[in-house]
Amino acid sequence: MSQPGWYPDPYGTGSLRWWDGENWTERLNPEPDRPPRLPRRERPQDTGSAGGTHDAAPHAPTWDRAPSVPSLDVHVRGLRLHADDQGVAYGDVSLAWPYVEWVAYWAAERPAAPGHVPGTQWVFQAGRYPFRGGPRVEVVIEPGALPGRAAGPDGEPERVWGRLIQLCQEYAESRLVEELAARVRAGESIDVAQGLTVHPGGVRGDRVSLSWSSISTATVDRGRVWIQQAGGTAPILYVPQQNPNAVLIPALLARLKY
C-alpha cells in the first residue's frame, strides 16, 4: 500500500484512517462525535488463544507482588527476541529496563495489500527520547513470524506478545508511572502520550479539561485509552494506544487520583 488515501483503520476504531504513503496518521474519517460506550472488562488477563480478543495482553500491572514472569527467548522473523528482568533485546538492538523512557504496545488488523494478506499484528515498542530518532526496540509479531515453533505458550504470537508486555510491566512501567506521578505531585504539567496533559489539578486534552474529582476511570480498549467522566455513561477523552506511554495512563491516573 503506497498510495495516500483513506483505508480501514488497522487499529480497530471502525472508521477510516488516512495513510500518507509512508505512515498511518491520526486523521480519522468519520471522526465520531463521542466515543462508543465501553464494555465491561471481566475476562482474565490471558485468553489463552491467538484467535481470541486482540486486546488480551494484560493491562493490569502486578507491581505489588514479587516478580514472577519467566524470561522470554524466541526467534521472530529470524532474529532473536530475548527479555528478562534486566532488559529486552531484539536482533542487534537492546535496552535495559532502567533506561526505558517510553513504551507502547497494541494489536492492529493489517488490511489486504499487494504482497500481503490481511491478519493481526501484535506490536511492542520500548525506547528512549526523542521519540522519533532515539534508540528503540520494536517487535512486530504475526502468524508466520515464528516459523517452526509448536503451538503453546511460547509459540503463539499473541502469547509471546503478552509475555513481553508482562515483563515490561514488571520491570519498566512501575518505575515510569512513579516517576511521572512524582513530577505531577511536585507541581509539573506533563505531556503523556502526545495528546494528554496531566497536571496537579487533573487532565486536559482535545479541548476537554477534567479535575481529579470528575474523573471516573481510564480503560484500554479498541486501540485507544479512554478516560471516563464520573457519573457519565461514555468516555469523553481518548488517546491512541500506539502513542508513547499511552498504556501508562490508567495506572498514572489511579496513582494521582487517590
Side-chain angles (χ1 to χ4, degrees), residues 84-101:
D84 54 22
D85 60 344
Q86 301 300 308
V88 57
Y90 181 52
D92 58 358
V93 181
S94 63
L95 276 175
W97 295 125
Y99 295 102
V100 169
E101 295 178 327

Side-chain angles (χ1 to χ4, degrees), residues 185-225:
R185 292 191 184 106
E188 285 190 55
S189 295
I190 58 175
D191 178 57
V192 181
Q194 296 179 334
L196 183 73
T197 299
V198 182
H199 56 89
V203 302
R204 62 177 177 268
D206 194 26
R207 301 180 298 278
V208 176
S209 182
L210 294 173
S211 65
W212 293 117
S213 62
S214 64
I215 295 173
S216 173
T217 58
T219 307
V220 180
D221 184 61
R222 286 166 290 174
R224 293 178 176 179
V225 181

Side-chain angles (χ1 to χ4, degrees), residues 12 35 39 41 72 77 79 85 100-101 105 112 143 149 157 178 214 216-217 225 228 248:
R41 292 293 179 193
L72 178 66
R77 299 180 180 276
L79 299 177
D85 60 344
V100 169
E101 295 178 327
Y105 41 82
R149 296 194 59 82
E178 294 303 336
S214 64
S216 173
T217 58
V225 181
Q228 186 163 330
L248 303 183

Side-chain angles (χ1 to χ4, degrees), residues 5-251:
W6 294 104
Y7 296 91
D9 187 3
Y11 304 119
T13 63
S15 298
L16 300 178
R17 186 178 293 273
W18 181 260
W19 172 262
D20 65 8
E22 295 182 355
N23 299 289
W24 293 106
T25 71
E26 296 303 317
R27 296 174 59 192
L28 291 178
N29 181 25
E31 177 67 46
D33 292 333
R34 59 186 302 169
R37 184 170 181 169
L38 295 182
R40 294 185 64 185
R41 292 293 179 193
E42 295 181 348
R43 63 177 182 268
Q45 291 182 348
D46 189 352
T47 61
S49 169
T53 52
H54 293 153
D55 56 347
H59 295 299
T62 53
W63 302 333
D64 296 331
R65 62 170 171 78
S68 59
V69 183
S71 61
L72 178 66
D73 199 340
V74 297
H75 280 76
V76 178
R77 299 180 180 276
L79 299 177
R80 185 189 183 202
L81 169 62
H82 180 84
D84 54 22
D85 60 344
Q86 301 300 308
V88 57
Y90 181 52
D92 58 358
V93 181
S94 63
L95 276 175
W97 295 125
Y99 295 102
V100 169
E101 295 178 327
W102 63 265
V103 299
Y105 41 82
W106 68 94
E109 294 297 330
R110 183 180 63 185
H116 297 284
V117 296
T120 302
Q121 293 180 318
W122 290 272
V123 184
F124 174 88
Q125 299 175 340
R128 293 177 58 82
Y129 290 112
F131 177 65
R132 304 186 188 282
R136 70 169 65 190
V137 172
E138 180 172 2
V139 187
V140 179
I141 308 172
E142 57 190 346
L146 303 166
R149 296 194 59 82
D154 290 326
E156 298 171 0
E158 190 173 10
R159 292 286 192 93
V160 171
W161 182 66
R163 179 81 63 79
L164 192 54
I165 291 171
Q166 286 179 314
L167 286 161
C168 180
Q169 290 179 333
E170 294 280 6
Y171 301 112
E173 291 188 24
S174 57
R175 171 185 56 81
L176 290 172
V177 168
E178 294 303 336
E179 289 176 354
L180 292 173
R183 289 173 57 188
V184 174
R185 292 191 184 106
E188 285 190 55
S189 295
I190 58 175
D191 178 57
V192 181
Q194 296 179 334
L196 183 73
T197 299
V198 182
H199 56 89
V203 302
R204 62 177 177 268
D206 194 26
R207 301 180 298 278
V208 176
S209 182
L210 294 173
S211 65
W212 293 117
S213 62
S214 64
I215 295 173
S216 173
T217 58
T219 307
V220 180
D221 184 61
R222 286 166 290 174
R224 293 178 176 179
V225 181
W226 309 85
I227 299 175
Q228 186 163 330
Q229 188 173 20
T233 59
I236 62 173
L237 274 175
Y238 69 84
V239 177
Q241 187 178 343
Q242 68 267 31
N243 285 14
N245 285 339
V247 293
L248 303 183
I249 291 173

